[in-house]
Amino acid sequence: MVHSVRPAVVDQIDLLGTAPNRGTDEPVVLQIIDNLSLGGAQRLLITLAKHVARSAPLQVYALNAGDTPMRAELLSAGVRLQETTGIRLWSPLSWRRVARAIRESGADVVHVHLTYATILAAPIARLQGKRVVVSLHNADTARGSGGRRRLRHSVLRSLEDRALRWFTDQVVFVGANVARANQGRIGGTPGVTIRNVIAAPEPVSDEQRASIRRAMGAKAQDIVLIATGRLMPQKDPAALLRAFALLAAEAPNARLWMVGAGPMLDEITALRAALGLEDRVVLTGERGDVAQLLAAADVFVLSSAWEGLPLGLLEAMAQGLPVVSTDVGDVAGVLPAAAGGLVPPGQPERLAEALRPLFTDAERRRACGIAALSASRDFTDVEGWHRQLQCLYRGETARDPDTAAQVAAGGRG
């Protein structure tokens, strides 16, 4: 049975309560995440949930409840989901609510994802005697939707640093560049790089592909560019729109699907209108059929200003799409030159220049797609990735060279 529970607010709670011993061979794990919006960390939890569904339901606690496609997909995978709303870093009530969720989960291990969850849940879980594992999903964490290094960013980074150094037993970096960028922040806490993975996608028939394209307003002769991810400064959707405007001026069959929602929706909607692209660019909002949309598109683009190891990129490669991406995070280590191209972030003209040959040359699209598909197979060992996590949950060293690259991080000492 699937459970979705919104914890009641309480006035008193024992922050030092410990989880009951359930007598299982593997520790009981609670995954805690900021929200269930479309994002790489959320997709990774869906991959994990589907993988473990036959043995035990995944426990997930979301700090920001919302009726999103990610939430629906987690529930369909059999997740035992707890949610709450109104969480504030400085509110004692919020700390009590998180503490209660951790205690009532019966977890031995708390695995934390994203900034707010790290700041709140890592100290609380440690006080309750839990083992704490934190995954860092970005080279520059805590920037959120603000996108600039302002006071708020500095405060969040500082609080996150302390949670990583003082209240965390193990840090997981999702890629080598994420490790390099964050290694100096974790002090003596052990760190290991376990690269993101994706499940191999289900095949989509030619008939299904044609049906999806028709439903999205694309004709058979159209060349469809697709981007997936939240509409936020990290993804730089404005640069993508401006690059597409340059292509659209010379390619009447060019179409763009922007899959995702976020704080920049109004800005991007207005920019689309200002550029005269309302009949060429589809803003889909958050969708639960991202894999099918990828399979129905022709070219994938990533315009991010910063990244970790983006799941959307791996998913597009696994669909055999040619890719043009900004050279950010771990993208250069994942995307072979033969699969498309890399450009500097924040330069729409360079992005358009790299995309142009893929719009005009079908054979180039085919060859780049084959190269991308081949490279993606290095990131589909979900079982090996899961073994890595289980090792960390037990307090052991992860040692599977097929799915992880070790990062020397010392011990607590």
Side-chain angles (χ1 to χ4, degrees), residues 235-400:
K235 304 298 182 180
D236 202 356
L240 172 57
L241 268 183
R242 292 189 173 95
F244 181 75
L246 296 173
L247 290 170
E250 58 195 60
N253 64 334
R255 298 291 182 269
L256 171 61
W257 299 344
M258 299 179 70
V259 184
M264 291 182 66
L265 176 59
D266 290 344
E267 177 183 339
I268 294 304
T269 301
L271 180 59
R272 180 183 63 168
L275 293 172
L277 297 174
E278 290 174 297
D279 61 340
R280 310 281 291 276
V281 176
V282 179
L283 302 175
T284 73
E286 290 198 3
R287 300 275 295 232
D289 59 348
V290 175
Q292 289 74 27
L293 291 176
L294 287 168
D298 300 295
V299 180
F300 179 81
V301 62
L302 184 75
S303 56
S304 296
W306 75 91
E307 278 289 354
L309 176 52
L311 265 283
L313 170 71
L314 299 181
E315 290 167 346
M317 292 169 62
Q319 292 286 0
L321 286 179
V323 175
V324 172
S325 172
T326 47
D327 188 1
V328 291
D330 282 284
V331 173
V334 171
L335 184 69
L342 290 174
V343 300
Q347 298 188 27
E349 296 83 4
R350 295 285 299 275
L351 193 59
E353 181 182 347
L355 285 165
R356 190 169 286 110
L358 294 173
F359 273 82
T360 58
D361 188 340
E363 178 55 31
R364 185 184 181 100
R365 287 198 303 275
R366 188 192 70 83
C368 288
I370 292 172
L373 177 61
S374 178
S376 75
R377 296 190 177 111
D378 291 338
F379 299 89
T380 56
D381 183 9
V382 178
E383 172 58 33
W385 169 74
H386 183 224
R387 286 199 304 269
Q388 288 283 313
L389 294 180
Q390 288 179 307
C391 285
L392 299 184
Y393 296 156
R394 294 192 298 265
E396 301 170 3
T397 302
R399 297 184 182 279
D400 188 343

Side-chain angles (χ1 to χ4, degrees), residues 96 110 128 156 163 173 227 243 370:
R96 288 197 297 268
V110 173
Q128 291 188 3
L156 290 176
F173 306 111
I370 292 172

Side-chain angles (χ1 to χ4, degrees), residues 225-243:
L225 180 67
I226 187 170
T228 62
R230 297 198 74 211
L231 300 179
M232 60 189 298
Q234 176 189 350
K235 304 298 182 180
D236 202 356
L240 172 57
L241 268 183
R242 292 189 173 95

Side-chain angles (χ1 to χ4, degrees), residues 167-183:
F167 300 105
T168 301
D169 295 287
Q170 177 74 58
V171 172
V172 178
F173 306 111
V174 301
N177 188 68
V178 175
R180 286 189 294 270
N182 291 290
Q183 188 68 51

